[in-house]
Amino acid sequence: MPTTLKDEAAIVGIGETEYSKNSGRSELALAAEACRAAIADAGLTPADIDGMTTFTMDNSDEIEVARAVGVGDLRFFSRTPHGGGAAIGVMHQAVMAVATGSAKAVVVYRALNGRSGARYSEGVSGGPTTSDLIHWSWYMPSGLMTPASWVAMVTQRYMHETGCTSEDLAEVCIAQREHAIKNPRAFFHGKPLTLEEHQSARHIVEPLRLYDCCQETDGGAACVVVSPEMARDLPNPPALIRAVAQGAGAHQESMTSFYRPTMTDLPEVDLSARQCWEISGLTADDIDAAVIYDAFSSIVLWQLESYGFCKKGEAADFIRDGALRLGGRLPTNTHGGQLSEAYVHGMNGVNEGVRLIRGTSTSQPAKNEHVLVTAGVGVPTSGMILGQG
Amino acid sequence: MSIETLRYQDVNVGDALPELPIALTSSLIVAGAVASQDYTPVHHDKEAAEAAGMQDVFMNILTTNGLVSRFVTDWAGIDARITGVSIKLGTPNLPGDTMTLTGAVAEKDETGNAVTVEVTGKNAWGNHVTGTVKLTLPAGD
Amino acid sequence: MAISGTEREEFEKQLEAYVGLDIGLEDRGRDPVNAAMVRHWCEAMGDACGAYTDAAEAAASVHGELVAPPTMLQTWILGGVSMASGESDPRDKQKELHRLFDSKGFTGVVATNTEQEYTRYLKMGDEIRAKTVIESISEQKATGLGIGYFINTRSTFRDQNDEEVGWLTFRVLKFEIAEASASSSSEAAAPSRPQRLKPALGHDNAWWWDCVEKDELAIQRCSRCQALRHPPRPMCGECQASDWDFVFSTGQGTIYSFVVIRHPEVPGYTYPLVVAVVELEEGTRFVGNVLDIDPEEVEIGMPVQASIELVDDEMKLPVFRRAQ
């Protein structure tokens, strides 16, 4: 039995649907297409798959997707909660299943009609009285009911404490847009963004402006996780999972951890980061490129600090000279991210991490030995490090 | 009633029009529909409106347009000529609510002394109407 | 679900045949432009402009004589009481197009835009007629109301001398009514004024809202270690005791962080909406609105005072104002 999740599994296939504002088909159809594409990319057939995992927020059951794709017996299936925080949590599940022998080949997927169906920007509202709804009840009556409003609250405090400005947030958006311009899958393919456009765009929730907020997208993405031994016999170069970890911190709420001694502390991200380094034996210095979860521009800065690319409070300085761009210290979100490619709850980022390792990104940095991929901020979260197989 | 008409030179981009609150009663909604010869049942028959998914009869577009035009000429006076209206419709106007019309001068064009006014009519549910009214004003003496 | 695949392709091919079509009928005004209908309109709209109803004022104005309000344009050709029956001329291509949409499940209809231009003001005695063309039909769109198609029509209005007096366009959405909205529409009459979202009440929080009803901002306190905690929860995170009581806050505090919400505008709330995390002097934090202040003036560290107030017709909530 393994004692850590170091080098116990690899991503051997990735797949996705087109990303659009109106898919014209069901979320189940999107999930099935993404899974089918990932299985084919892995050089496998549905019969080879014996595990499936996704987000609790996904509306398509594992067995429904399995039936649609033609997967037979499933030995492993599971769900990970907390929205975008699950993006690598699902990878954690897949790696554990493969490392323990619970499954041989696990498909990880996420598909949503995020624009034409239920839109997160429209906010939370009623439903059955769960602990979750009681939690939102502390905020809905005062009008705090969208992800932008919750993240803006922490962003305001962060800007107050560190001196980070809206122009600094713009650098995240512009660096990622530079990448998206070259990516035909991206909504903003071929559409540059200037500082003036960023600064003159309307506020959604102050201090966040329009381009600080991710898109809403219809689409699905999936990948296939197998053991490193099995990976050797498959056609694509594997992306070896050097480490994968989850984290929930003290005084954790889902998106509204406003009551911590210091609101801008993100112990759950620190915890995911610490585990990634401990398990892999690597440090931030070893990372050549990153996919950093970007539902909003400000959360990219906080993760750069938690993962140790710079000191706490200094991320704005770190990125100011183009660190996130190609040729910079840490080319980040080379697909354009969720700000500029598509919002598929972080699963499109997992696929980009694999492309970076394969050397097939449309904004491919020269060095690609190790890539960091992270999941949502403000919620219990997760992260992983990919390496050459 | 007739106020003195505004002259083209008196008007500046950014000038605000006097706010006009309109109490939305069933009487106004039905009177507007009938006066505009629009007997589509949802504008005078509550049952038909409910069948269409609304709580009550709701204002027809001609009435909205008529109120927007009144809002502008109340401000501009008898010698203004309205030459065009372009509006986007949003939340319905329902009895019991109030729609408040606000507006401001958005553009001036000396050829023909043309003025464009941006207008918003907001009720408790959001924007009922947003758009522009184009008019010409007499030149000053 | 909206139609898809070959059914959608065939449907959209059928739609194409309507683009550019004259709807086949000319609408003729049944009465010439007349003072009685104009007066009736002006009374309904509360429009006191003398150009429409006062012959002397009209004569002295740029109009030179009584004229009709320009936005009445369409009124002169509408069908009046006959429209209530819902019957239409079978030759009417616009109605035929709507029926085609209905047959594919796009039964909802709502006008979203109109643009109008008035070449001249109409005078008493003018005889008006109009012809309408289906200008375009959009591709399938996902809208807030549901999946549907926008239809653009243009009507051109002429007078007794065949001179154009104006035109108008309408943009209409034919959409598939979402199941959720269809069911909510059958509910008993909703309040005419939108209300804020109410809290869900359960065992662990209902007591706190009861205190608000009694105009108190309560803070939960552990009975064993006396630690204060907010939001309320059933066990003390410090000493794991399940017994608790509560204290009342003075409502004094300072702003720890805040946001100004501008989008989306949810009915029942007033925007821009300031929401702050307030550090109460007792040491716990609380999230609430800051009222009666220019959003530009709100800042971290600002002293505030809570009061409990009705924020709509039904709900009391602790709200904050700048402390004196």
Side-chain angles (χ1 to χ4, degrees), chain C residues 12-14 18 26 34 48 50 57 69 106 109 114 131 139 146 154 170 175 209 224 232 257 261 265 303 322:
Chain C
E12 290 180 353
K13 206 163 283 169
Q14 278 180 291
Y18 284 87
E26 185 176 60
N34 65 85
E57 281 187 27
F106 301 97
V109 59
T114 175
K131 281 197 135 184
E139 56 187 46
R154 173 183 290 263
F170 272 113
F175 64 100
W209 290 96
R224 188 193 291 168
S257 192
I261 301 179
E265 292 196 356
R322 181 164 23 195

Side-chain angles (χ1 to χ4, degrees), chain B residues 1-2 22 28 31-32 34-41 44 46 50-55 60-67 69-70 73-74 77-90 94-97 122 124-127 134 138, chain C residues 30 37 40-41 44-52 57-58 60-63 69-75 78-86 111-119 121 170 185 189-195 265-268 271:
Chain B
M1 183 208 73
S2 166
I22 305 275
L28 168 62
V34 170
S36 55
Q37 290 288 295
D38 179 357
Y39 277 74
T40 309
H44 65 265
K46 186 172 178 185
E50 283 172 349
M54 306 298 293
Q55 299 143 20
N60 69 336
I61 299 170
L62 278 134
T63 304
T64 298
N65 246 334
L67 292 170
S69 144
R70 169 195 156 190
T73 53
D74 276 3
I78 192 169
D79 289 328
R81 285 178 196 268
I82 292 182
T83 57
V85 173
S86 175
I87 62 175
K88 179 173 178 223
L89 295 153
L94 289 159
D97 202 346
K122 191 170 189 149
W125 300 92
N127 286 336
K134 288 187 194 303
Chain C
R30 290 168 302 159
M37 282 172 68
H40 187 182
W41 165 282
M45 304 301 160
D47 195 332
C49 180
Y52 311 142
E57 281 187 27
S61 74
V62 292
H63 306 288
T71 44
M72 271 187 90
L73 182 60
Q74 199 190 7
T75 293
L78 279 183
V81 175
S82 71
M83 294 170 76
S85 72
T112 62
N113 300 76
T114 175
E115 193 174 340
Q116 320 203 342
E117 250 182 53
Y118 316 113
T119 318
Y121 274 43
F170 272 113
S185 70
S192 61
R193 198 170 87 107
Q195 307 290 306
E265 292 196 356
V266 178
Y271 295 89

Side-chain angles (χ1 to χ4, degrees), chain C residues 157-198:
Chain C
F157 291 75
R158 292 179 182 278
D159 64 12
Q160 57 278 13
N161 303 318
D162 206 30
E163 300 279 343
E164 186 175 321
V165 295
W167 55 260
L168 60 84
T169 63
F170 272 113
R171 186 169 163 84
V172 167
L173 174 68
K174 281 295 285 174
F175 64 100
E176 195 178 61
I177 299 173
E179 273 173 40
S181 72
S183 69
S184 68
S185 70
S186 63
E187 280 172 19
S192 61
R193 198 170 87 107
Q195 307 290 306
R196 290 189 176 207
L197 291 171
K198 304 237 172 346

Side-chain angles (χ1 to χ4, degrees), chain C residues 32-36 38 51-52 65-68 122-126:
Chain C
V33 174
N34 65 85
V38 168
Y52 311 142
E65 62 186 291
L66 280 177
V67 289
L122 302 184
K123 304 174 193 316
M124 303 307 122
D126 276 334

Side-chain angles (χ1 to χ4, degrees), chain B residues 4-136:
Chain B
E4 197 160 314
T5 297
L6 293 174
R7 305 284 138 182
Y8 179 77
Q9 289 82 348
D10 300 339
V11 171
N12 295 305
V13 170
D15 285 357
L17 279 63
E19 201 172 281
L20 178 64
I22 305 275
L24 303 173
T25 59
S26 301
S27 301
L28 168 62
I29 289 162
V30 175
V34 170
S36 55
Q37 290 288 295
D38 179 357
Y39 277 74
T40 309
V42 289
H43 305 309
H44 65 265
D45 177 346
K46 186 172 178 185
E47 266 181 39
E50 283 172 349
M54 306 298 293
Q55 299 143 20
D56 205 335
V57 293
F58 57 96
M59 186 175 282
N60 69 336
I61 299 170
L62 278 134
T63 304
T64 298
N65 246 334
L67 292 170
V68 165
S69 144
R70 169 195 156 190
F71 171 62
V72 171
T73 53
D74 276 3
W75 163 76
I78 192 169
D79 289 328
R81 285 178 196 268
I82 292 182
T83 57
V85 173
S86 175
I87 62 175
K88 179 173 178 223
L89 295 153
T91 57
N93 269 346
L94 289 159
D97 202 346
T98 298
M99 173 174 71
T100 303
L101 287 158
T102 55
V105 176
E107 277 176 49
K108 285 183 72 179
D109 182 355
E110 279 182 31
T111 45
N113 293 337
V115 172
T116 303
V117 176
E118 270 176 7
V119 178
T120 299
K122 191 170 189 149
N123 62 32
W125 300 92
N127 286 336
H128 167 71
V129 55
T130 51
T132 56
V133 176
K134 288 187 194 303
L135 62 153
T136 60

Side-chain angles (χ1 to χ4, degrees), chain C residues 74-115:
Chain C
Q74 199 190 7
T75 293
W76 303 112
I77 54 101
L78 279 183
V81 175
S82 71
M83 294 170 76
S85 72
E87 284 165 21
S88 62
D89 192 307
R91 293 166 300 173
D92 184 335
K93 289 287 177 193
Q94 189 175 2
K95 293 277 164 41
E96 183 182 294
L97 174 61
H98 280 226
R99 284 194 297 271
L100 175 60
F101 274 108
D102 292 342
S103 73
K104 294 296 177 187
F106 301 97
T107 52
V109 59
V110 61
T112 62
N113 300 76
T114 175
E115 193 174 340

Side-chain angles (χ1 to χ4, degrees), chain A residues 21-26 115-117 119 121-130 133-135 137-146 148-158 160-161 202-207 251 253 257-264, chain C residues 1-4 8 140-144 147 196-205 208-209 230-233 238 255-264 266 269 271-277 279 284-289 295-296 300-301 311 315 317-318:
Chain A
K21 302 295 179 195
N22 179 13
S23 69
R25 53 203 194 276
S26 70
R115 181 61 177 77
S116 67
R119 298 174 61 182
S121 70
E122 288 175 350
V124 292
S125 57
T129 306
T130 58
L133 188 58
I134 298 259
H135 159 228
S137 294
W138 295 109
Y139 311 107
M140 295 186 305
S142 296
L144 208 59
M145 54 185 108
T146 61
S149 69
W150 309 320
V151 170
M153 188 70 83
V154 184
T155 303
Q156 182 87 265
R157 184 74 200 179
Y158 177 83
H160 173 77
E161 288 176 1
R202 66 195 164 109
H203 277 115
I204 300 299
V205 179
E206 291 180 39
H251 303 285
E253 290 199 5
S257 303
F258 299 151
Y259 311 96
R260 289 170 166 158
T262 302
M263 188 199 272
T264 50
Chain C
M1 268 306 288
I3 52 167
S4 59
R8 176 170 160 186
Q140 200 183 85
K141 301 270 189 190
T143 76
I147 304 270
R196 290 189 176 207
L197 291 171
K198 304 237 172 346
L201 299 181
H203 198 81
D204 297 332
N205 73 338
W208 188 91
W209 290 96
H230 184 83
R233 42 194 176 270
E238 304 292 325
I255 291 180
Y256 182 80
S257 192
F258 70 95
V259 298
V260 183
I261 301 179
R262 296 185 181 272
H263 181 85
V266 178
Y269 299 79
Y271 295 89
L273 179 66
V274 180
V275 190
V277 174
E279 197 143 71
T284 56
R285 294 187 193 139
F286 182 79
V287 173
N289 297 129
E296 300 298 315
I300 289 175
V311 292
M315 181 170 57
L317 208 59

